[in-house]
Amino acid sequence: FAKNRIRMKVTLRMTMTTLTLTLLHLAKSTRRTAAFAMSRRSPRPSSSAARDNGQYLYYHPSSSTLRLTSSTSAVKTSSETQLVQDMLYRIRECNNMPEEIKASLVNFQVDGVILGKVRPKMAELLCSVAPSGKGSEVFEMANPSSSSMKPYMTLSTRSAGTTVESRTQAVASVMDELRNEGIVTGWRDELFPVSDSFYNPPLFLIERAAVTTMGILEYGVHINGILKPDTPSSSRTSSTVVKDPPPLMWMARRSKTKSKHPGMLDHIVAGGQPAGLSLMENVIKECEEEAGIPPEIAR
């Protein structure tokens, strides 16, 4: 990595502020192996780049274009504007939740703050679990002050208390019960903060595997590895070399044994943001675990 002078960008999973991050995030979200993850079973944008199945993604800042290439096809180009429109098309399609499902979701809130949205059957299940040692259910349904609002799910102050520590322990006891019943799978022994915003302090912590059960916000760090040409193009003699070759981007492929999106294309490094670690500390940890990148390069 040092020889090729990798430049890494750190971004939050929820923001998708860079074009390259959006491309790879879409590939994971839609469970397709193509770089742009365009569905073959639905109408797609006209951009030819959106149908690429190549192994390398090129970005050339000076020309404001993205270039996709593979061992079996010539270089294809598309304007950034068209590519962004294509990606927004896919994002909107993924976020197209039927209105009846939206209307049925139950708000999960604590201390008046909405933290997530839960399916009615899951809310019913959570409110029925009374872990041993707690004496009663940890989750409960509550009626809002206004009659025009729907009932919501919250934490029982009697069983869960009012502190971060007591709530964390109470919720953990429920999730452990659901784990034993096979409802919560892929247990990680890793706690995630639960809050309505990345910058607000957590109201409690929850096992990572249970995050989707509660419909709460989940954050992470993504690393893009960019390789710049090591030798000036003018000194190369091969007839296949073009002037000003663009940098290359590392595109990793997830292990086929992963519980989520096995075998799909991904960032060179990506990981959830657990409690107790800063963004940079998490970047360094994930770089070592997933790609063998030493701390001196990750920093």
Side-chain angles (χ1 to χ4, degrees):
F1 292 111
K3 180 179 179 181
N4 291 300
R5 302 195 302 277
I6 289 180
R7 294 184 292 108
M8 293 182 288
K9 296 180 181 179
V10 181
T11 58
L12 286 178
R13 178 178 299 151
M14 299 298 292
T15 60
M16 295 188 295
T17 54
T18 66
L19 187 59
T20 51
L21 174 57
T22 306
L23 292 173
L24 295 177
H25 184 82
L26 285 172
K28 181 185 295 184
S29 298
T30 57
R31 302 187 183 185
R32 298 292 188 268
T33 57
F36 290 90
M38 302 306 293
S39 173
R40 297 182 180 180
R41 294 179 293 178
S42 60
R44 65 184 84 182
S46 59
S47 170
S48 61
R51 297 186 293 274
D52 178 78
N53 288 308
Q55 295 298 315
Y56 301 103
L57 175 66
Y58 291 162
Y59 175 58
H60 203 304
S62 62
S63 61
S64 296
T65 62
L66 276 171
R67 298 185 178 184
L68 295 166
T69 186
S70 70
S71 58
T72 58
S73 63
V75 173
K76 302 174 184 178
T77 63
S78 179
S79 68
E80 284 189 7
T81 301
Q82 181 62 50
L83 285 173
V84 170
Q85 290 175 351
D86 293 348
M87 289 182 288
L88 289 175
Y89 167 89
R90 177 59 58 210
I91 291 173
R92 292 190 185 103
E93 185 175 73
C94 292
N95 290 335
N96 185 22
M97 181 183 294
E99 290 299 325
E100 60 270 20
I101 294 181
K102 285 184 182 180
S104 69
L105 296 178
V106 178
N107 284 340
F108 169 54
Q109 65 182 64
V110 177
D111 292 345
V113 179
I114 298 177
L115 301 175
K117 292 182 179 294
V118 187
R119 288 259 189 159
K121 288 186 177 180
M122 179 55 67
E124 182 180 353
L125 174 62
L126 290 170
C127 292
S128 68
V129 177
S132 58
K134 293 298 178 182
S136 60
E137 293 80 5
V138 172
F139 292 91
E140 64 182 10
M141 296 300 295
N143 293 315
S145 55
S146 173
S147 58
S148 62
M149 300 178 66
K150 298 190 305 180
Y152 59 90
M153 187 178 73
T154 188
L155 292 177
S156 167
T157 56
R158 181 178 63 259
S159 300
T162 58
T163 67
V164 173
E165 293 76 13
S166 63
R167 288 168 175 168
T168 298
Q169 293 176 1
V171 172
S173 64
V174 174
M175 296 308 161
D176 195 51
E177 292 279 348
L178 298 184
R179 176 193 185 186
N180 295 334
E181 295 177 13
I183 298 173
V184 175
T185 60
W187 200 268
R188 306 289 290 271
D189 285 323
E190 187 175 12
L191 294 177
F192 271 24
V194 180
S195 178
D196 64 331
S197 169
F198 180 79
Y199 297 101
N200 288 341
L203 296 179
F204 64 93
L205 309 180
I206 191 172
E207 157 63 31
R208 178 177 180 175
V211 167
T212 55
T213 302
M214 303 297 300
I216 56 183
L217 293 175
E218 179 182 6
Y219 301 92
V221 293
H222 286 182
I223 309 299
N224 293 327
I226 310 298
L227 286 78
K228 299 181 65 176
D230 194 42
T231 306
S233 59
S234 58
S235 64
R236 300 185 183 183
T237 59
S238 173
S239 59
T240 61
V241 175
V242 297
K243 292 184 178 180
D244 300 322
L248 300 177
M249 170 180 281
W250 281 100
M251 296 186 72
R253 189 175 296 278
R254 295 171 65 83
S255 168
K256 293 183 179 180
T257 61
K258 297 288 284 186
S259 60
K260 294 182 179 179
H261 317 298
M264 299 293 103
L265 297 178
D266 204 349
H267 298 263
I268 186 173
V269 173
Q273 182 62 35
L277 287 180
S278 68
L279 287 173
M280 183 51 68
E281 288 172 339
N282 194 27
V283 165
I284 294 173
K285 177 182 75 72
E286 294 292 341
C287 280
E288 287 189 295
E289 291 178 355
E290 295 197 349
I293 300 175
E296 56 269 23
I297 294 180
R299 290 190 179 94

